[in-house]
Amino acid sequence: MLEDHFQVIDFNKKLKFWYLQNHRPLLWRQTSDPYKIWLSEIILQQTRVAQGTPYYEKFVLDYPTVFDLAAADEKDVLRLWQGLGYYSRARNMHFTARQIVNEFNGEFPASAVQLAKLKGLGNYTAAAIASFAFGEAIPAIDGNVYRVMARLFGIFTDILSNEGKKEFLVLAKQLVSQEDPATYNQAMIEFGALQCVPGIPDCSVCPFNDICYAYEFNMQSKLPVKAKKLTVRNRYFNYFILQKGEKLAMQERKGKDIWKGLYDFLMFESAGLLTSPEDFYENEIIHNLMLKGRIREVPKVYLHLLTHQRLNVRFWWIDIPENTQVDLPSDLHFYDQDEIYTLPKPILVDTVLKEENYL
Ligand code: SF4
């Protein structure tokens, strides 16, 4: 541990020096506009910088201010977000933009405590915006920062436990620079992302290898401790793409399940992988549709990984002659190709439509 104030100052100086030499010139680091910083932070939750950067650029271009985003249609926001996953982030972001316009006259609250009350903002994001945009001396602790602190100071408390969160917060508050908290937080995050990386970091070039616990005791791969294991559930989705001429039947997903607000096809979930149309003979809707059209199977089984779910997905196309009347479940409607292009869709649906040369 850093025993006194002077050691903390020394640590901060070294960290800032490393940052100035090594940091990436990321777009959102070149602004103090809380709206743009907030956009970047929401986009980068669960997303890598390389994947998130083009989305950040698109959002800033299409919605340059919080007023523009608040005035947008949710469908258009989801369409722009398409491919990033975790769509609740986009819905919450849109909701929060409206809240900021309606309740705060378009001005972001300036403190982490107030920011954390907004939808979709956890403690880390609130602290990041408060320090980057408003200079509040508060530590922003993301996964990178937990890793750096755990290794440097030899902390074996589970970072996902409440006890761990408290312990790391106490230490982080001692470390954060009072003079320049924005650069300090950026530097800690970047140091974890580029130097003290997961797996085996190159400690030989680290400016802190003279004080680092993990380096001294060869514990880099043991720290940080993350005890909770994610349980991943297998799910089996069976999609039926009903086609009439160039139109396809799609529906907006509702309820509490994944992909709320996005559009997909008639779908039945099963307990295991189904392999042939005969598996659906018991299903009255599919049975009737099969009698009216020609069914074609997409041979591939698509595997789609989410944080807690592994989706095993199959697609069948049913071509229905244009003059044939079909009774569709009430949520399903036929859309033409141009409409389908602009509808927000799970990336998996978009991929299949492209692979099948529809889009
Ligand atoms: S010496 Fe290695 S483990 Fe320690 S802070 Fe530096 S990079 Fe991380």
Side-chain angles (χ1 to χ4, degrees), residues 13-272:
K13 262 194 206 157
K14 270 191 186 171
L15 180 69
K16 189 167 179 175
F17 184 74
W18 176 91
Y19 179 72
L20 295 175
Q21 305 275 312
N22 295 284
H23 74 276
R24 297 163 290 179
L26 304 176
L27 293 171
W28 44 89
R29 291 204 177 124
Q30 293 154 29
T31 178
S32 56
D33 178 350
Y35 168 67
K36 290 181 183 155
I37 292 168
W38 168 70
L39 271 184
S40 74
E41 288 297 335
I42 303 295
I43 288 171
L44 291 177
Q45 287 169 1
Q46 326 270 356
T47 301
R48 289 172 194 279
V49 165
Q51 193 198 358
T53 303
Y55 284 87
Y56 172 80
E57 289 174 308
K58 284 193 285 182
F59 269 90
V60 168
L61 195 66
D62 284 16
Y63 308 118
T65 69
V66 70
F67 293 97
D68 300 307
L69 182 59
D73 196 293
E74 186 183 88
K75 220 183 263 177
D76 295 329
V77 174
L78 288 172
R79 180 66 178 86
L80 206 59
W81 191 269
Q82 187 172 296
L84 262 187
Y86 303 97
Y87 290 86
S88 57
R89 284 184 294 167
R91 284 193 301 273
N92 289 342
M93 194 170 86
H94 188 226
F95 177 93
T96 300
R98 290 188 166 173
Q99 192 183 5
I100 286 170
V101 167
N102 296 332
E103 293 176 28
F104 300 94
N105 295 322
E107 302 279 336
F108 274 75
S111 78
V113 171
Q114 288 170 299
L115 284 161
K117 291 181 186 156
L118 299 172
K119 206 168 181 176
L121 270 78
N123 289 338
Y124 159 74
T125 312
I129 299 169
S131 75
F132 300 159
F134 303 110
E136 185 176 346
I138 184 167
I141 314 173
D142 74 346
N144 289 311
V145 177
Y146 276 119
R147 184 168 57 257
V148 172
M149 289 198 294
R151 285 173 172 173
L152 266 175
F153 304 113
I155 304 173
F156 284 82
T157 319
D158 176 7
I159 60 168
L160 297 177
S161 67
N162 287 337
E163 189 197 350
K165 283 181 185 144
K166 276 186 208 149
E167 187 175 344
F168 279 91
L169 182 61
V170 168
L171 175 62
K173 280 184 175 169
Q174 291 167 9
L175 292 176
V176 68
S177 160
Q178 301 300 308
E179 292 74 39
D180 187 0
T183 307
Y184 167 84
N185 280 326
Q186 296 280 20
M188 278 295 266
I189 294 164
E190 192 76 339
F191 186 76
L194 299 183
Q195 169 59 40
C196 193
V197 293
I200 308 292
D202 183 0
C203 298
S204 67
V205 295
C206 176
F208 300 117
N209 59 15
D210 57 333
I211 59 160
C212 177
Y213 174 95
Y215 180 58
E216 185 178 354
F217 297 102
N218 203 18
M219 288 290 207
Q220 295 93 328
S221 62
K222 302 270 187 306
L223 289 166
V225 173
K226 237 194 265 186
K228 265 191 216 160
K229 288 254 183 300
L230 283 179
T231 50
V232 178
R233 170 164 76 109
N234 262 307
R235 295 179 75 183
Y236 301 89
F237 286 9
N238 306 284
Y239 275 115
F240 291 88
I241 308 175
L242 312 180
Q243 181 159 20
K244 248 189 180 192
E246 57 131 7
K247 294 188 173 185
L248 304 182
M250 300 193 80
Q251 62 189 351
E252 183 182 352
R253 288 180 63 87
K254 301 204 168 107
K256 291 203 166 153
D257 205 353
I258 55 170
W259 301 335
K260 186 177 164 206
L262 305 190
Y263 284 71
D264 65 0
F265 311 107
L266 177 63
M267 195 271 278
F268 295 97
E269 190 165 353
S270 51

Side-chain angles (χ1 to χ4, degrees), residues 260-332:
K260 186 177 164 206
L262 305 190
Y263 284 71
D264 65 0
F265 311 107
L266 177 63
M267 195 271 278
F268 295 97
E269 190 165 353
S270 51
L273 195 64
L274 301 183
T275 52
S276 106
E278 280 94 69
D279 292 327
F280 299 96
Y281 277 172
E282 303 280 300
N283 184 309
E284 205 182 331
I285 298 170
I286 298 301
H287 190 73
N288 286 337
L289 286 166
M290 281 198 241
L291 292 176
K292 297 199 170 173
R294 201 161 37 87
I295 189 157
R296 176 173 66 81
E297 152 182 353
V298 177
K300 190 162 149 187
V301 178
Y302 289 82
L303 196 65
H304 191 73
L305 299 176
L306 304 171
T307 314
H308 298 276
Q309 303 184 26
R310 186 187 296 114
L311 306 183
N312 303 266
V313 187
R314 300 230 46 191
F315 291 88
W316 283 272
W317 288 74
I318 303 183
D319 275 314
I320 299 167
E322 293 216 50
N323 51 3
T324 305
Q325 202 50 41
V326 284
D327 292 326
L328 295 180
S330 60
D331 288 345
L332 275 174

